[in-house]
Short mmCIF file of all heavy atoms in Angstrom, two decimals:
data_model
loop_
_atom_site.label_atom_id
_atom_site.label_comp_id
_atom_site.label_asym_id
_atom_site.label_seq_id
_atom_site.Cartn_x
_atom_site.Cartn_y
_atom_site.Cartn_z
N TYR A 90 10.72 -3.78 -35.09
CA TYR A 90 9.79 -4.72 -35.70
C TYR A 90 9.66 -4.43 -37.19
O TYR A 90 9.69 -3.28 -37.61
CB TYR A 90 8.39 -4.56 -35.09
CG TYR A 90 8.31 -4.75 -33.58
CD1 TYR A 90 8.56 -3.69 -32.73
CD2 TYR A 90 7.93 -5.97 -33.04
CE1 TYR A 90 8.47 -3.86 -31.35
CE2 TYR A 90 7.82 -6.15 -31.66
CZ TYR A 90 8.09 -5.08 -30.84
OH TYR A 90 7.99 -5.24 -29.47
N TYR A 92 6.83 -5.26 -40.27
CA TYR A 92 5.47 -5.70 -40.57
C TYR A 92 5.22 -5.52 -42.06
O TYR A 92 5.92 -4.76 -42.75
CB TYR A 92 4.44 -4.86 -39.80
CG TYR A 92 4.30 -5.23 -38.35
CD1 TYR A 92 5.20 -4.72 -37.41
CD2 TYR A 92 3.31 -6.09 -37.92
CE1 TYR A 92 5.09 -5.07 -36.08
CE2 TYR A 92 3.19 -6.44 -36.58
CZ TYR A 92 4.08 -5.93 -35.67
OH TYR A 92 3.98 -6.28 -34.35
N ARG A 94 1.84 -5.14 -45.00
CA ARG A 94 0.42 -5.12 -45.33
C ARG A 94 0.31 -5.41 -46.82
O ARG A 94 0.81 -4.67 -47.66
CB ARG A 94 -0.23 -3.78 -45.01
CG ARG A 94 -1.75 -3.84 -45.14
CD ARG A 94 -2.41 -2.55 -44.79
NE ARG A 94 -3.86 -2.73 -44.65
CZ ARG A 94 -4.76 -1.82 -45.01
NH1 ARG A 94 -4.38 -0.67 -45.52
NH2 ARG A 94 -6.05 -2.05 -44.82
N GLU A 99 -4.81 -7.26 -43.37
CA GLU A 99 -4.27 -6.84 -42.08
C GLU A 99 -2.76 -6.66 -42.15
O GLU A 99 -2.09 -7.18 -43.02
CB GLU A 99 -4.64 -7.84 -40.97
CG GLU A 99 -3.90 -9.17 -41.03
CD GLU A 99 -4.67 -10.22 -41.79
OE1 GLU A 99 -5.39 -9.86 -42.73
OE2 GLU A 99 -4.51 -11.39 -41.44
N HIS A 105 10.91 -9.52 -35.08
CA HIS A 105 11.20 -8.63 -33.98
C HIS A 105 12.65 -8.79 -33.56
O HIS A 105 13.10 -9.90 -33.30
CB HIS A 105 10.25 -8.98 -32.81
CG HIS A 105 10.56 -8.30 -31.51
ND1 HIS A 105 10.17 -8.83 -30.30
CD2 HIS A 105 11.17 -7.13 -31.22
CE1 HIS A 105 10.54 -8.02 -29.32
NE2 HIS A 105 11.15 -6.98 -29.86
N ASP A 113 12.11 -12.92 -32.49
CA ASP A 113 11.01 -13.70 -33.05
C ASP A 113 10.98 -13.45 -34.54
O ASP A 113 10.80 -12.31 -34.96
CB ASP A 113 9.69 -13.27 -32.39
CG ASP A 113 8.47 -14.07 -32.87
OD1 ASP A 113 8.59 -14.85 -33.84
OD2 ASP A 113 7.40 -13.91 -32.27
N SER A 115 9.06 -15.56 -36.54
CA SER A 115 8.03 -16.52 -36.94
C SER A 115 7.15 -16.03 -38.09
O SER A 115 6.49 -16.83 -38.74
CB SER A 115 7.14 -16.86 -35.73
OG SER A 115 6.48 -15.69 -35.26
N GLN A 155 10.23 -2.04 -22.11
CA GLN A 155 8.92 -2.64 -21.86
C GLN A 155 7.77 -1.69 -22.18
O GLN A 155 6.61 -2.05 -21.96
CB GLN A 155 8.82 -3.07 -20.40
CG GLN A 155 9.80 -4.15 -20.01
CD GLN A 155 9.56 -5.44 -20.77
OE1 GLN A 155 8.45 -5.95 -20.79
NE2 GLN A 155 10.60 -5.94 -21.42
N ALA A 156 8.06 -0.50 -22.69
CA ALA A 156 7.00 0.45 -23.00
C ALA A 156 6.02 -0.18 -23.97
O ALA A 156 6.43 -0.80 -24.95
CB ALA A 156 7.58 1.72 -23.60
N PRO A 157 4.71 -0.04 -23.75
CA PRO A 157 3.74 -0.77 -24.57
C PRO A 157 3.60 -0.27 -26.00
O PRO A 157 3.27 -1.04 -26.88
CB PRO A 157 2.43 -0.61 -23.80
CG PRO A 157 2.61 0.63 -23.00
CD PRO A 157 4.07 0.68 -22.65
N GLU A 158 3.82 1.04 -26.23
CA GLU A 158 3.53 1.56 -27.56
C GLU A 158 4.73 1.48 -28.49
O GLU A 158 5.87 1.70 -28.08
CB GLU A 158 3.02 3.00 -27.48
CG GLU A 158 4.01 4.01 -26.95
CD GLU A 158 3.93 4.16 -25.45
OE1 GLU A 158 3.34 3.29 -24.78
OE2 GLU A 158 4.48 5.13 -24.93
N ALA A 159 4.45 1.16 -29.72
CA ALA A 159 5.46 1.16 -30.77
C ALA A 159 5.19 2.30 -31.73
O ALA A 159 4.04 2.68 -31.96
CB ALA A 159 5.44 -0.17 -31.53
N PHE A 161 5.71 3.78 -35.56
CA PHE A 161 5.88 3.24 -36.90
C PHE A 161 6.47 4.27 -37.85
O PHE A 161 6.27 5.48 -37.70
CB PHE A 161 4.53 2.77 -37.46
CG PHE A 161 4.09 1.45 -36.92
CD1 PHE A 161 3.60 1.35 -35.64
CD2 PHE A 161 4.21 0.31 -37.69
CE1 PHE A 161 3.21 0.12 -35.12
CE2 PHE A 161 3.82 -0.93 -37.19
CZ PHE A 161 3.32 -1.02 -35.91
N GLN A 163 6.94 5.49 -42.05
CA GLN A 163 6.00 5.82 -43.13
C GLN A 163 5.69 4.60 -43.99
O GLN A 163 4.71 4.60 -44.73
CB GLN A 163 6.61 6.90 -44.03
CG GLN A 163 6.97 8.17 -43.32
CD GLN A 163 5.79 9.09 -43.19
OE1 GLN A 163 4.87 8.84 -42.43
NE2 GLN A 163 5.82 10.18 -43.92
N PHE B 166 -4.51 -0.95 -28.63
CA PHE B 166 -4.17 0.28 -29.32
C PHE B 166 -5.13 0.55 -30.47
O PHE B 166 -5.70 -0.38 -31.05
CB PHE B 166 -2.75 0.19 -29.93
CG PHE B 166 -1.69 -0.21 -28.96
CD1 PHE B 166 -1.42 -1.54 -28.71
CD2 PHE B 166 -0.94 0.75 -28.30
CE1 PHE B 166 -0.45 -1.92 -27.81
CE2 PHE B 166 0.04 0.38 -27.40
CZ PHE B 166 0.29 -0.95 -27.16
N TYR B 168 -4.39 2.60 -34.03
CA TYR B 168 -3.48 3.34 -34.89
C TYR B 168 -4.29 3.92 -36.05
O TYR B 168 -5.31 3.34 -36.46
CB TYR B 168 -2.39 2.43 -35.44
CG TYR B 168 -1.27 2.13 -34.47
CD1 TYR B 168 -1.38 1.08 -33.55
CD2 TYR B 168 -0.09 2.88 -34.46
CE1 TYR B 168 -0.36 0.80 -32.66
CE2 TYR B 168 0.93 2.60 -33.58
CZ TYR B 168 0.79 1.57 -32.68
OH TYR B 168 1.82 1.29 -31.80
N GLY B 175 2.28 7.45 -42.77
CA GLY B 175 2.50 6.19 -42.08
C GLY B 175 1.50 5.98 -40.97
O GLY B 175 0.54 6.73 -40.81
N LYS B 181 -4.18 4.44 -26.58
CA LYS B 181 -3.85 3.13 -26.05
C LYS B 181 -4.52 2.93 -24.70
O LYS B 181 -4.94 3.90 -24.04
CB LYS B 181 -2.34 2.97 -25.90
CG LYS B 181 -1.74 3.84 -24.79
CD LYS B 181 -0.27 3.53 -24.58
CE LYS B 181 0.23 4.25 -23.32
NZ LYS B 181 1.18 5.29 -23.59
N PHE B 221 -6.74 1.24 -37.49
CA PHE B 221 -6.34 -0.13 -37.16
C PHE B 221 -6.41 -0.35 -35.66
O PHE B 221 -5.81 0.42 -34.89
CB PHE B 221 -4.90 -0.40 -37.62
CG PHE B 221 -4.69 -0.38 -39.10
CD1 PHE B 221 -4.33 0.79 -39.74
CD2 PHE B 221 -4.83 -1.53 -39.84
CE1 PHE B 221 -4.13 0.82 -41.11
CE2 PHE B 221 -4.62 -1.52 -41.21
CZ PHE B 221 -4.28 -0.35 -41.85
N ARG B 225 -0.95 -5.79 -28.10
CA ARG B 225 0.42 -6.24 -27.87
C ARG B 225 0.37 -7.29 -26.78
O ARG B 225 -0.16 -7.04 -25.69
CB ARG B 225 1.35 -5.11 -27.45
CG ARG B 225 2.83 -5.54 -27.51
CD ARG B 225 3.74 -4.60 -26.80
NE ARG B 225 3.72 -4.82 -25.36
CZ ARG B 225 4.72 -4.48 -24.54
NH1 ARG B 225 5.81 -3.92 -25.02
NH2 ARG B 225 4.62 -4.66 -23.24
N THR B 230 7.09 -12.78 -27.07
CA THR B 230 7.95 -11.81 -27.72
C THR B 230 7.34 -10.42 -27.83
O THR B 230 7.88 -9.56 -28.49
CB THR B 230 8.31 -12.29 -29.14
OG1 THR B 230 7.09 -12.47 -29.86
CG2 THR B 230 9.05 -13.60 -29.09
N TYR B 231 6.19 -10.19 -27.19
CA TYR B 231 5.60 -8.86 -27.14
C TYR B 231 5.33 -8.28 -28.52
O TYR B 231 5.47 -7.10 -28.74
CB TYR B 231 6.49 -7.89 -26.35
CG TYR B 231 6.72 -8.35 -24.93
CD1 TYR B 231 7.91 -8.95 -24.57
CD2 TYR B 231 5.73 -8.16 -23.97
CE1 TYR B 231 8.11 -9.38 -23.27
CE2 TYR B 231 5.93 -8.59 -22.67
CZ TYR B 231 7.11 -9.19 -22.33
OH TYR B 231 7.32 -9.61 -21.04
N LYS B 232 4.92 -9.12 -29.46
CA LYS B 232 4.65 -8.58 -30.79
C LYS B 232 3.26 -7.98 -30.84
O LYS B 232 2.40 -8.24 -30.00
CB LYS B 232 4.80 -9.66 -31.85
CG LYS B 232 3.84 -10.82 -31.72
CD LYS B 232 4.24 -11.90 -32.71
CE LYS B 232 3.34 -13.10 -32.61
NZ LYS B 232 3.87 -14.23 -33.43
N TYR B 233 3.03 -7.14 -31.84
CA TYR B 233 1.77 -6.45 -32.05
C TYR B 233 0.97 -7.22 -33.10
O TYR B 233 1.51 -7.65 -34.11
CB TYR B 233 2.01 -5.02 -32.52
CG TYR B 233 2.76 -4.19 -31.49
CD1 TYR B 233 4.14 -4.29 -31.37
CD2 TYR B 233 2.08 -3.34 -30.63
CE1 TYR B 233 4.82 -3.57 -30.41
CE2 TYR B 233 2.76 -2.61 -29.67
CZ TYR B 233 4.13 -2.73 -29.57
OH TYR B 233 4.81 -2.03 -28.62
N PHE B 235 -2.50 -6.92 -35.47
CA PHE B 235 -3.41 -5.91 -36.00
C PHE B 235 -4.67 -6.52 -36.60
O PHE B 235 -4.68 -7.66 -37.08
CB PHE B 235 -2.71 -5.12 -37.12
CG PHE B 235 -1.69 -4.15 -36.63
CD1 PHE B 235 -0.40 -4.56 -36.34
CD2 PHE B 235 -2.01 -2.81 -36.45
CE1 PHE B 235 0.55 -3.67 -35.88
CE2 PHE B 235 -1.06 -1.90 -36.01
CZ PHE B 235 0.22 -2.34 -35.72
N GLY B 236 -5.72 -5.71 -36.60
CA GLY B 236 -6.90 -6.03 -37.37
C GLY B 236 -6.70 -5.61 -38.83
O GLY B 236 -5.64 -5.11 -39.20
N THR B 237 -7.72 -5.81 -39.63
CA THR B 237 -7.62 -5.57 -41.06
C THR B 237 -7.71 -4.09 -41.43
O THR B 237 -7.42 -3.73 -42.56
CB THR B 237 -8.73 -6.31 -41.82
OG1 THR B 237 -9.98 -5.96 -41.23
CG2 THR B 237 -8.54 -7.82 -41.74
#
Side-chain angles (χ1 to χ4, degrees):
Chain A
Y90 302 86
Y92 283 82
R94 190 179 192 216
E99 72 267 32
H105 171 204
D113 182 351
S115 61
Q155 296 297 307
E158 64 270 16
F161 282 75
Q163 302 276 71
Chain B
F166 307 86
Y168 281 86
K181 69 174 189 247
F221 294 91
R225 193 194 80 156
T230 59
Y231 301 102
K232 63 188 179 189
Y233 298 81
F235 286 83
T237 53

